[in-house]
Amino acid sequence: MSPCIPSTPLLTLADTPAAISPADGRLAKLPQCTPNELRKRIGNGEYLVIIDGLVCKLNAFIAKHPGGPLAIMHMVGHDATDEVRSMHPQEVLETVVPRWAVARFVPEDGDKCVVSYVEEMELPYSAARSSTIDGTSHPQPSHSNADNLDYMAIQRDYRKLDTHLRQNGFYKCGYSDYLYEAARYLLFFATAVGLILYGPYTAWTYLLAGIATAMLWQQLAFFAHDLGHNELTGRREFDMVLGICIADLLGGLSVGWWKKNHNTHHIVTNDVDNDPDIQHLPFFAVSTRFFESRYSTYYKRVMEFDAAARMFVAAQDKLYYLIMCFARFNLYRLSWGYLLFSDYAPYRELEMGCIGVFFVWFNWLLSHIPTWQYLVLYLVVSHSVSAILHIQITLSHFAMSTESPDPVHECFAARQVRTTMDVICSPSFDWFHGGLQYQIEHHLFPRLPRHKLKLVQPMVKDFCRKHVMEFKEFSFVDGNIYTLQWLGEVASRVKLCNGRKEHEDQAVAALRKSFAI
């Protein structure tokens, strides 16, 4: 037994931190629900999710869910115990979950660590998980021992580790950590504004101001990320409003859009049809499955692998950094699309007001730049240097597995380790990555304060070692190389796809000609 993982007996539901007391009178009287009954009710339109052995009907709650409706929809028909625990404070599970319980789940004899009971169902809001056992052949990044894992043991030890972290204060936010960060925010902000307002009229002034602005946006993104996960105070409304004041007011981006997107990403990490964080056609395809023009359950449209997609994806390893230089402009578009057209935008008015104020003060600042050439220089530098953040984000997932070896049984912890990569860096450079280079740890424990992730990494490595799960980590440079190599591997398949498409077009043309005759 690893010394970092507490040596405790197998946990029962009553031992776990999010447990719901079986002595609750109402819950004890609930009817039983079997897997077949679960599937039948879901087929009739009920949103049923299994949490701690309870079947929760969430039809009336789904529109009110703070994390967005898709985070629930992707868990319909699943045992979402670990997902729900990882994304919510304990009091939510103790009070909210029992309120929506309609039955007690009774698995069939022989069911061991089944997490999905709906893989054979066609749900309009959540596609079946991409899998290596679906009869199709798609190249995958190397990931050793992914096919021979004991998911029940992994789930058990993951819950033990989570209990250990909660009992030993790891989930408590260290507010002093943010004092150093606040000093950096002020430094970058003062540098950018000071240079524009009082600096000499030279290209160097606006070049440096652009870099300072980009670094401010990068660092603020880490703080907004914490607030989106309610890591600061644990009070959802306070953290969310503060996040809006940070990201919307100072960066011009919607925290509400990010939270909807990001929660979905955490629930269905690296799934081709469901995870918006890897759905970037026509510019990128991290799997050859995208060549099939898949339907995105997030964007509610077909991601066409058309002529433009073939052109960009065929050169995606060469265009990667160039495209990332324009990524922030895409975030403006997505933010406004969310605020104007999304059915779910609980802070719509506040966010639109804050983003409006951002454009007012930002344009006022830009008005002090004396020439259009310097204005273009500042805008290009500030937005293109922001590519650093987008590279950091994509590095952890673009070159990782997108297909489950066993979507019926693969537990939450095994899925997060399979789909995520850590970045190694010197402690003195930790600030540059914001502490989020520990992405495996973050995906296993999303509400764990960012500054605690490095303390948890040795425990997670021991956990992975014990269960023979590959813990993938690279330096920032090697991670970039690895990602580019994988993008190049997928790009090389486009030519084969184009060859097949040309052959199919010729066959169809010949068939039409024969019918015409």
Side-chain angles (χ1 to χ4, degrees):
M1 178 68 71
S2 165
C4 290
I5 300 178
S7 181
T8 58
L10 177 63
L11 297 180
T12 64
L13 287 179
D15 296 322
T16 54
I20 300 165
S21 173
D24 186 302
R26 189 186 75 83
L27 299 182
K29 296 177 183 178
L30 290 174
Q32 294 183 344
C33 180
T34 65
N36 285 336
E37 292 169 346
L38 181 79
R39 285 187 283 265
K40 182 178 179 181
R41 293 178 66 172
I42 290 171
N44 290 331
E46 295 185 57
Y47 294 132
L48 300 179
V49 179
I50 304 165
I51 305 169
D52 271 338
L54 298 177
V55 178
C56 298
K57 181 179 177 179
L58 302 175
N59 292 59
F61 177 66
I62 197 165
K64 308 172 187 175
H65 182 230
L70 276 175
I72 290 178
M73 289 179 176
H74 287 310
M75 288 291 97
V76 168
H78 291 71
D79 186 332
T81 302
D82 290 334
E83 285 86 347
V84 172
R85 283 177 182 158
S86 71
M87 299 289 286
H88 299 84
Q90 184 175 343
E91 55 266 25
V92 170
L93 289 114
E94 293 175 345
T95 59
V96 177
V97 170
R99 189 186 312 160
W100 301 102
V102 294
R104 289 176 291 119
F105 187 70
V106 182
E108 296 173 347
D109 292 338
D111 281 355
K112 293 183 178 180
C113 198
V114 173
V115 297
S116 175
Y117 294 89
V118 292
E119 289 305 309
E120 300 303 319
M121 296 182 66
E122 292 187 6
L123 302 178
Y125 45 80
S126 181
R129 307 302 185 254
S130 301
S131 172
T132 58
I133 57 175
D134 65 358
T136 60
S137 177
H138 294 272
Q140 284 288 286
S142 61
H143 207 275
S144 61
N145 302 314
D147 299 324
N148 301 295
L149 300 177
D150 185 344
Y151 294 124
M152 182 175 290
I154 292 170
Q155 184 183 75
R156 179 189 64 223
D157 280 347
Y158 167 70
R159 293 179 179 180
K160 286 183 183 180
L161 180 54
D162 183 54
T163 301
H164 172 72
L165 297 178
R166 292 177 187 273
Q167 291 176 346
N168 288 275
F170 283 88
Y171 277 87
K172 293 179 180 178
C173 181
Y175 295 109
S176 60
D177 293 320
Y178 287 103
L179 294 177
Y180 299 103
E181 295 204 359
R184 280 198 299 274
Y185 306 156
L186 290 172
L187 174 63
F188 289 131
F189 182 80
T191 300
V193 173
L195 285 171
I196 291 175
L197 295 182
Y198 306 111
Y201 297 156
T202 67
W204 280 105
T205 295
Y206 303 105
L207 174 67
L208 294 175
I211 293 173
T213 302
M215 295 305 299
L216 172 68
W217 286 338
Q218 182 222 27
Q219 293 293 304
L220 287 177
F222 299 142
F223 186 36
H225 174 274
D226 297 351
L227 295 166
H229 277 293
N230 307 129
E231 295 174 8
L232 188 67
T233 67
R235 294 162 53 198
R236 177 175 57 82
E237 293 83 0
F238 179 87
D239 283 0
M240 185 65 181
V241 170
L242 182 57
I244 291 171
C245 293
I246 295 296
D248 297 52
L249 195 59
L250 296 179
L253 302 178
S254 166
V255 169
W257 162 79
W258 172 85
K259 189 164 185 175
K260 177 187 175 185
N261 179 288
H262 195 65
N263 284 344
T264 305
H265 164 67
H266 270 277
I267 294 297
V268 285
T269 310
N270 262 33
D271 188 83
V272 168
D273 299 321
N274 299 313
D275 183 2
D277 271 16
I278 61 168
Q279 296 176 346
H280 299 298
L281 285 180
F283 301 109
F284 296 118
V286 299
S287 166
T288 54
R289 282 189 183 271
F290 285 106
F291 297 179
E292 301 167 353
S293 295
R294 312 286 294 197
Y295 178 79
S296 166
T297 59
Y298 183 86
Y299 293 110
K300 295 181 175 60
R301 60 175 173 80
V302 174
M303 299 175 285
E304 294 285 355
F305 193 69
D306 52 19
R310 288 188 179 89
M311 178 184 69
F312 282 113
V313 173
Q316 63 181 358
D317 53 326
K318 302 174 182 65
L319 296 174
Y320 176 67
Y321 297 113
L322 178 62
I323 292 173
M324 286 299 174
C325 289
F326 296 92
R328 190 172 184 87
F329 293 105
N330 185 50
L331 298 189
Y332 294 138
R333 179 186 68 85
L334 291 171
S335 293
W336 278 107
Y338 163 81
L339 292 173
L340 292 174
F341 306 115
S342 176
D343 294 334
Y344 178 81
Y347 295 90
R348 192 190 312 270
E349 292 79 10
L350 177 61
E351 289 207 79
M352 291 182 72
C354 285
I355 292 180
V357 173
F358 163 78
F359 280 106
V360 169
W361 77 258
F362 193 60
N363 278 282
W364 172 84
L365 186 66
L366 296 180
S367 70
H368 289 79
I369 299 177
T371 68
W372 70 266
Q373 292 93 338
Y374 287 156
L375 176 63
V376 170
L377 174 64
Y378 170 75
L379 288 174
V380 168
V381 171
S382 60
H383 285 74
S384 60
V385 175
S386 295
I388 294 171
L389 176 64
H390 306 293
I391 293 167
Q392 289 171 317
I393 293 170
T394 58
L395 211 61
S396 297
H397 299 290
F398 264 26
M400 298 301 290
S401 168
T402 56
E403 301 191 13
S404 172
D406 187 352
V408 172
H409 298 94
E410 186 182 36
C411 62
F412 171 76
R415 185 171 71 251
Q416 299 307 323
V417 173
R418 172 177 60 81
T419 57
T420 313
M421 174 203 303
D422 269 14
V423 173
I424 306 167
C425 77
S426 161
S428 62
F429 215 52
D430 188 73
W431 68 271
F432 179 72
H433 295 284
L436 284 175
Q437 70 270 31
Y438 303 102
Q439 275 288 295
I440 295 175
E441 294 74 17
H442 171 61
H443 270 259
L444 289 172
F445 310 105
R447 297 187 69 255
L448 196 72
R450 173 166 48 95
H451 305 97
K452 302 285 183 68
L453 294 175
K454 60 185 174 184
L455 303 178
V456 174
Q457 189 189 58
M459 307 181 202
V460 172
K461 283 187 173 181
D462 284 348
F463 165 66
C464 292
R465 192 177 302 115
K466 176 181 178 181
H467 294 286
V468 203
M469 292 187 291
E470 183 178 5
F471 185 98
K472 190 157 283 188
E473 59 179 348
F474 292 97
S475 69
F476 186 61
V477 173
D478 289 341
N480 273 266
I481 294 172
Y482 184 75
T483 298
L484 289 176
Q485 287 175 339
W486 176 247
L487 291 176
E489 173 64 25
V490 176
S492 69
R493 307 284 174 140
V494 176
K495 185 177 292 186
L496 297 175
C497 177
N498 287 342
R500 286 196 298 270
K501 179 70 166 56
E502 183 178 352
H503 177 74
E504 291 170 1
D505 289 345
Q506 290 173 350
V508 169
L511 189 62
R512 286 174 175 169
K513 185 176 181 180
S514 66
F515 276 110
I517 293 173

